[in-house]
Amino acid sequence: MANKTKSTVPGNLAMETELVLAGRDPFRHDGFVNTPIVRGSTVLSPTVADLEGHTGRYTYGRRGNPTVESLEAALTRIEGGAGVVLTPSGLSAVSVALLAVLKAGDHLLMVDSAYQPTRRICDEVLTRYGIETTYYDPLIGGGIADLIRANTRAIFLESPGSQSFEIQDVPAIVAAAAAHDITTLMDNTWATPLFFRPHDFGVDVSIQAGTKYLGGHSDLNIGTISANARTFRRVHLTHGDLGMTVAPEDAFLAARGLRTMAVRLERHQQSALTVARWLVARPEVLKVLHPALPEHPSHALWKRDFKGASGLFSVILQPAPKLAVDAFLDSLALFGLGYSWGGFESLAIPFDCNSYRTATRWNPGGPAIRLQIGLEDPADLIADLDSGFAALAAAR
Ligand SMILES: *Cc1c(COP(=O)(O)O)cnc(C)c1O
């Protein structure tokens, strides 16, 4: 029998197998399958020589913890970069990554469809440190070259936009950035590394709000930053210098989420497509913004670059008064009204991109609603939406 006390994990495994194995080392923990939750700040050294020589594996809770390190190691394999650091939220992953690659006097190109709080980092924080941001059209592709200035040091992508669902031409933008030695960063929360691996496309820094599909249960906030060999040192240093740390309980829950991520995402994908196709055929619906639907304007790019679609998409209703749209949302029994997504439960929110966009105008043609399709039976979700449309009609 093989020696099971050693790590005898073969290479070249499928992603599903990696998700099960990555970051675990049971025989370092008396055989227990999962890395235990280790709480602690102080780490003792046996002698002064050990203390001063940093001979131990850990020196201080903020700088390394077995539970946190296990998740970082797992995500490093899944993302395929040089290393991963964890932050207390998805938003702090964005801010730490930007602070790691930019300095006073630099210029940043930020996609106009970015998660709205990401824009606040640029407009409210980076401006105070002398970093200027220009927003660009998510559909700009290689045309981004025209926006590059002598001091442009970073291009930030988010694809698809998490409300409007444009897919960016990542290879074209990465090529333009590479020609000027510009660092590329991507918020990849929607696809996760299971459906799109930014590093495989030459993106330097891959960011996830682990709060969403990694956690998967709406019970934690966590952010992940994966960096390639070119950028990991800067990301790691800035992360440490800013004192970023995550609770071992949150790292444990995120690692638990990782094990089931492939099966959850497969179900989110199938159910979301089922609901999206049903919505397309409804007279109350003007259009459905889901990149995996052939009629979506970005479908060809999605098909070229992505391995799948997750459970979040938007629907544009035929013009209707706010009162009627509110009646639709209020009548839903299975869709909760709340922010965030990626958990097991379905959600709905109304939104309007024009409240924050600056580089592009958004003309959806009717009221916009974003749906997160959870793990419920899609037939039940469709029945819920059907009664919502009855409420909408009654309120007009
Ligand atoms: C939710 C979200 C974030 C922020 O994650 P938090 O954990 O809520 O801070 C960042 N980017 C995208 C695309 C998100 O959906």
Side-chain angles (χ1 to χ4, degrees), residues 89-91 115 158 162 187 189 209 211-212 221-222 341:
S89 65
L91 189 59
Y115 180 64
E158 182 180 324
S162 69
D187 184 332
T189 301
T211 307
K212 311 289 163 60
N221 284 91
I222 199 166
W341 41 279

Side-chain angles (χ1 to χ4, degrees), residues 267 285 287 298:
R267 178 67 182 262
V285 170
K287 59 188 164 189
S298 295

